Amino acid sequence: MEQPVTVGRGTRPFGEAPEALDALVGASLTARVCVDEHGIVTGWNTGAERLLGYAAGEVTGHRAADLLAEPIPVRGGLPTLAGLARWNGDVALRHRDGRKLTVGILAHHRPPGADAPAWLIVSALTGRQPRADLDESLVSWSFAQSPCCAQAIYDTRLRLRRANADMERSMSLTEEEMRGLRVSEIVDDDAGLRAERDMARVLRTGEPQYAENYLRAPGESHEHAWSVFMSALRDHEGTVQGVCLSAHDMTEQFWARKRLQLIAEAGRRIGSTLDVTRTAQELADVTVPALADFVSVDLLAALDDAPEPPARAVPENGPLLLRRAALRSVTPGAPESAVAAGAVDSYPAGSLPYESLRTGRPALHEVTDPAFAAWLARDPARAARVRAFGVHSAMTVPLAARGTTLGVAFFVRHDNQETFRHDDLVLAGELAARAAVSIDNARRFARERATAVTLQRSLLPRRLPRQAAVDVASRYLPAGGHAGVGGDWFDVIPLSGARVALVVGDVVGHGLHASAAMGRLRTAVRTLADIDLPCDELLTHLDDLVARLNTEEDDGEPGTAGSTGTASADVGATCLYAVYDPVTRHCCLAGAGHPVPVVVSPDGAVDLVGLPAAPPLGVGGLPYEATEVVLPEGSLLALYTNGLIATADRDLDTGVHRLREALARPAGSLETLCDTVLTDLLPRRPADDVALLIARTRALDANQVATWAVPAVPSAVARTRKDVVAQLERWGLSDAVFVTELVVSELVTNAIRHAEPPIRLRLIHDTSLICEVSDGGNTAPHLRRARTYDEGGRGLLLVAQLTQRWGTRQGATGKTIWAEQTLSRP
C-alpha cells in the first residue's frame, strides 16, 4: 500500500535530485523495458522483474520477442511498428514460471540518432494503485481548490449547487451565499442573462456552449475578461443531471489583444497623408477613447520655418516652445485643453513636457506626483482645468524619428477611473513612435516638395510678356500633396512680325526629375521659337532633343542619377505649339501627343481644332504635321494639359465635354474664365499637375500695315525711302523717320545686292514699329566687325544698334529680315 507523501517547507525540490524523485514516484511501480532497433533488450528495471520474474541479467542482451506468449496483434509483428512514434495495446507475455500474462503496454519510439534506446516500453503494475476512495477525494479537492479557473455546478433548474474557491473570489461571494441562486441573480447584468440562456441550451441539447463576457466585481477597479465554457453533467445512463460552468480569466490576453488591435488600427490610420498636421491629428483620433480621455500632440515651434530641426531641441534652461498640432477629447470641444489648436505655448524647465523631451523617455505621472504638482502650481489656468475635470493620471511620450526630436504627445485620463499603467505607457510609446516616423516623413516631404515647387515655378514664366497679338490668362496648379511636383508648363513667346507663339507641354512623371526635364524642354522651345522655325519643324527638333535626353539617361555612369537601374526614368513628354499672326488672323498649330486645343468663336460656338494624330516627344522617326486655321478677332483659344480633363472618376471624352461647357459660359474677363474652368473640372486635390492657357485673339487693322513691292534695281531704294517717310507721316510717327529711313535703306539695299527677287517691304504699326524685307534668297545675313578700310559691312551693325530687336526667318520661298523699334509714348 502506497503511503501519501507530505512536502513541507524546506524540502529540497525533486527536480534537483533524481534519486529523490525516483523515491517519490516509486519507480518500481512501473515495468520499464528498453529495446534497441534490432529488437534486443538493453534495459530492465525492478518493476519488469516483478512483472515477469526475470532478473535483469537473464533478459538483457536477448531478443524481446522471446518474452512473447503470442505474436503482437499487429500484422508482421514488432518490426512493422518502426514507422510509428508511439504504440499502445494489450500484449500476451510469458512469465518465468510459464504462466501467460496479458499486459497493457505503452511503447515510445525514439527518433534515430537520439542518445536513448530506440524503444521505451512501460506498463503499470496491477494491484498497486492507490485505494479507490482516495480517487473520489482527489476529484472533490481538485474541483474545490483548482487555481486555474472558476468553476460552478448547477442543477437542472439552473440553481448553483457547488462553487470552487476561484469562483468565490471572482464573485466576491462564498459558495454558501450563492447556493440555490441562478446565474442572472448572482451576476446582475446582461452577461448573467446570456450565460443562463446558454446553460438552458446545454440542458436542452446536451451540446457544450462557449461565450466571452466582461465583468467588474464589487470593489475592483477594472473589468475582467472571462472565457466561459458550459457543458452537460451526465449520469451513468447518459441523462443530463446538471451543468458545469468553467470560467477562465483571460484579462491579460484580452488587453494584449486590444493593444495589438489598437496598434494595427494605428498602422492603418496614422500616416494616411503626407501632411504634418493631419498625421498628428490621426494619432490623437486613434488613441481617444481607446487609450486616453484627452490627447494633445505638440510639435517644436522651431520646426515651423526651419528647413532642419535645431541642433538642441530642448533649451538648457527653458523655456520650451511647442505648437499644438492636434488634440482630441472624449468631451466635445476639448475643454480640458489649456492651449488652442495651432497656438504656441511655453513650457518651463521642470514641466512634464520639458522633462520628457529633455530625457527622451516616456513617463507616467499621477496628479499627486511632486513634479506634476509643482508644474501645476506655476500654471494656475492648467491647474484649474485639472481640478475641474478630475484628471488623475497622465503620460508624456516624446516624438522622435531618425534621431530628430519633433515634439511630445500628452495623454490624460479623467473619465476613465483606472490610472495609467506601465503597459499603457509601452503602448503609447509604440503608437507615438509610429506617428513620429509618419510626421517626419510628412515634414521631409513638405520640405522637398517646397523645393521642387520653387524650382518649377522658377522655370515657369513669372509674368506673361506684353505683346499685341493676344490677350492671355493662365493658371498652373501643382498636383495634390500625395502626387508631388510634375512637369507641366506653358509659355507665351513674342515672335517677329507682331506674331505670338503659345506653348503648353507636359513631362510624364512627378518630382524634381520631371521639373528639371520640363525646364530643359521649355528653354529648348524658346530657343527654337526665337529662330522662327515652323510649327511642325520645331516639334521635330524637340523630338530629337527628348530622344537625346533619353540616350543620356541610358548612358549614365553607374550610381549616378541617370544610370540604368536607378529611380530615374526615360523622359516622356507631350507638347502643343501654336503661332498666331494678328495681321492675317491665321493660326498654325502642331501637336505631339497632346490634347487638342479648344476654340470659342465670337458668336459662342465651341469647337475642337482637328490636329493630325502624332506621337509624344521622344519616339523619333515619325513626322509631325501642322494645321492652319483662321481665327476671327475676339476668338478664344484654350490650351491645356491632360490633368485638366482626366481624373480617376471620368474619362477623357467626359472631361473634354465639361471643358467645352465651361468655356461656353460668359465671363467678365479671361482671369474669371480660368477660375470657372478650374472650379468646374477639378477636384479639391487634383491628382496631376494642371496647366491652362487661354488667349483672346486680336487683329491689326488694314491701315496699320503698309506693303510695297520693291524692284530689284538700285534706284528703287530712294523711291522706297520716300514711300516709307510718307507712310510714317500719315501714322504720325515723325520721330521714327530718321531711324526707319536708315533701316529700310540698309535692308532693301542688301536684298537688291545679295538676294533674289521678288523683294517686298512691309511696315507694321502697333505698339512698336516693325520693318520687314522679304526676298527669294535663302542665305541669311549676319553681323560682323568691319575692318578700317572696308567699304561695307557696317550697315547691319547700325540696324542692330538703332533698333530694339532684329532677326531673320526662313519661309517656304525665301527669307525675311526684320527689325523692330520701340515707339515712345505720346
Side-chain angles (χ1 to χ4, degrees), residues 604-632:
V606 182
D607 297 298
L608 299 176
V609 179
L611 296 181
L617 298 173
V619 175
L622 297 174
Y624 293 97
E625 299 180 49
T627 297
E628 191 166 294
V629 296
V630 177
L631 298 179

Coordinates of all heavy atoms in Angstrom, one line a residue, residues 604-632:
G604 N -19.9 82.4 -79.9 CA -20.1 81.5 -78.8 C -20.0 80.0 -79.2 O -20.1 79.1 -78.3
A605 N -19.8 79.7 -80.4 CA -19.6 78.3 -80.8 C -18.3 77.7 -80.3 O -17.3 78.4 -80.4 CB -19.6 78.2 -82.4
V606 N -18.4 76.5 -79.8 CA -17.2 75.9 -79.2 C -16.8 74.7 -80.0 O -17.6 73.8 -80.2 CB -17.4 75.5 -77.7 CG1 -16.2 74.9 -77.1 CG2 -17.9 76.7 -76.9
D607 N -15.6 74.6 -80.5 CA -15.1 73.5 -81.3 C -13.7 73.1 -80.9 O -12.9 73.9 -80.4 CB -15.1 74.0 -82.8 CG -16.5 74.3 -83.3 OD1 -17.4 73.4 -83.3 OD2 -16.7 75.5 -83.7
L608 N -13.4 71.9 -81.3 CA -12.1 71.3 -81.1 C -11.3 71.5 -82.4 O -11.9 71.3 -83.5 CB -12.1 69.9 -80.7 CG -12.8 69.5 -79.4 CD1 -12.8 68.0 -79.2 CD2 -12.1 70.1 -78.2
V609 N -10.0 71.9 -82.3 CA -9.2 72.0 -83.5 C -8.8 70.6 -83.9 O -8.1 69.9 -83.1 CB -8.0 72.9 -83.2 CG1 -7.1 73.0 -84.5 CG2 -8.5 74.3 -82.8
G610 N -9.1 70.3 -85.1 CA -8.7 69.0 -85.6 C -7.2 68.9 -86.0 O -6.8 69.4 -87.0
L611 N -6.4 68.3 -85.2 CA -5.0 68.1 -85.5 C -4.7 66.7 -85.9 O -5.3 65.7 -85.4 CB -4.2 68.5 -84.2 CG -4.3 69.9 -83.7 CD1 -3.3 70.0 -82.5 CD2 -3.8 70.9 -84.8
P612 N -3.7 66.5 -86.8 CA -3.3 65.2 -87.2 C -2.8 64.4 -86.0 O -2.1 65.0 -85.1 CB -2.2 65.4 -88.3 CG -2.5 66.8 -88.7 CD -3.0 67.6 -87.6
A613 N -3.1 63.1 -85.9 CA -2.5 62.3 -84.8 C -1.0 62.3 -84.9 O -0.4 62.1 -86.0 CB -3.1 60.9 -84.9
A614 N -0.4 62.5 -83.7 CA 1.1 62.5 -83.7 C 1.5 61.9 -82.4 O 0.9 61.9 -81.4 CB 1.6 63.9 -83.8
P615 N 2.7 61.2 -82.4 CA 3.2 60.6 -81.2 C 3.8 61.6 -80.2 O 4.1 62.7 -80.6 CB 4.3 59.6 -81.7 CG 4.8 60.4 -82.9 CD 3.6 61.0 -83.5
P616 N 3.9 61.2 -78.9 CA 4.6 62.1 -78.0 C 6.1 62.3 -78.4 O 6.6 61.6 -79.2 CB 4.5 61.3 -76.7 CG 3.4 60.3 -76.9 CD 3.5 59.9 -78.3
L617 N 6.7 63.3 -77.7 CA 8.1 63.6 -78.0 C 9.0 62.4 -77.5 O 8.7 61.8 -76.5 CB 8.5 64.9 -77.3 CG 7.7 66.1 -77.7 CD1 8.1 67.3 -76.8 CD2 8.0 66.5 -79.2
G618 N 10.0 62.2 -78.2 CA 11.0 61.2 -77.8 C 10.8 59.9 -78.5 O 11.7 59.0 -78.4
V619 N 9.7 59.7 -79.3 CA 9.5 58.4 -80.0 C 10.5 58.3 -81.2 O 11.1 57.3 -81.4 CB 8.1 58.3 -80.5 CG1 7.9 57.0 -81.3 CG2 7.1 58.2 -79.3
G620 N 10.6 59.4 -81.9 CA 11.6 59.5 -83.0 C 11.1 58.8 -84.3 O 10.4 57.8 -84.2
G621 N 11.6 59.3 -85.4 CA 11.3 58.7 -86.7 C 10.0 58.9 -87.3 O 9.7 58.4 -88.4
L622 N 9.1 59.6 -86.6 CA 7.7 59.9 -87.2 C 7.5 61.4 -87.4 O 8.0 62.2 -86.6 CB 6.7 59.4 -86.2 CG 6.7 57.8 -86.0 CD1 5.7 57.5 -84.9 CD2 6.4 57.1 -87.3
P623 N 6.9 61.7 -88.5 CA 6.8 63.2 -88.8 C 5.7 63.8 -88.0 O 4.7 63.2 -87.5 CB 6.4 63.2 -90.3 CG 5.7 61.9 -90.5 CD 6.3 60.9 -89.6
Y624 N 5.8 65.2 -87.9 CA 4.8 66.0 -87.3 C 4.2 66.9 -88.4 O 4.9 67.4 -89.2 CB 5.3 66.8 -86.1 CG 5.8 66.0 -85.0 CD1 7.1 65.6 -84.8 CD2 4.9 65.5 -84.0 CE1 7.6 64.9 -83.8 CE2 5.3 64.8 -82.9 CZ 6.7 64.4 -82.8 OH 7.1 63.7 -81.8
E625 N 2.9 67.1 -88.3 CA 2.2 67.9 -89.3 C 1.5 69.1 -88.6 O 1.1 69.0 -87.5 CB 1.1 67.0 -90.0 CG 1.7 65.8 -90.8 CD 0.6 65.1 -91.5 OE1 -0.2 65.7 -92.1 OE2 0.6 63.8 -91.3
A626 N 1.5 70.2 -89.4 CA 0.9 71.4 -88.8 C -0.5 71.6 -89.5 O -0.7 71.2 -90.6 CB 1.8 72.6 -89.1
T627 N -1.3 72.3 -88.8 CA -2.7 72.6 -89.2 C -2.8 74.1 -89.1 O -2.4 74.7 -88.1 CB -3.8 71.9 -88.4 OG1 -3.6 70.5 -88.6 CG2 -5.1 72.4 -88.9
E628 N -3.4 74.8 -90.1 CA -3.6 76.2 -90.1 C -5.1 76.5 -90.1 O -5.8 76.0 -90.9 CB -2.9 76.9 -91.3 CG -2.8 78.4 -91.2 CD -1.8 79.0 -92.1 OE1 -0.6 78.7 -92.0 OE2 -2.3 79.7 -93.0
V629 N -5.5 77.4 -89.2 CA -6.9 77.8 -89.1 C -7.0 79.3 -89.1 O -6.0 80.0 -88.7 CB -7.6 77.2 -87.9 CG1 -7.7 75.7 -87.9 CG2 -6.9 77.7 -86.6
V630 N -8.1 79.9 -89.5 CA -8.3 81.3 -89.4 C -9.2 81.6 -88.2 O -10.2 81.0 -88.0 CB -9.0 81.8 -90.7 CG1 -9.3 83.3 -90.6 CG2 -8.1 81.6 -91.9
L631 N -8.7 82.5 -87.4 CA -9.4 82.9 -86.1 C -9.9 84.3 -86.2 O -9.1 85.2 -86.2 CB -8.5 82.7 -84.9 CG -7.9 81.3 -84.6 CD1 -7.0 81.4 -83.4 CD2 -9.0 80.3 -84.4
P632 N -11.2 84.5 -86.2 CA -11.8 85.8 -86.2 C -11.3 86.6 -85.0 O -11.0 86.0 -83.9 CB -13.3 85.6 -86.2 CG -13.5 84.2 -86.7 CD -12.3 83.5 -86.3

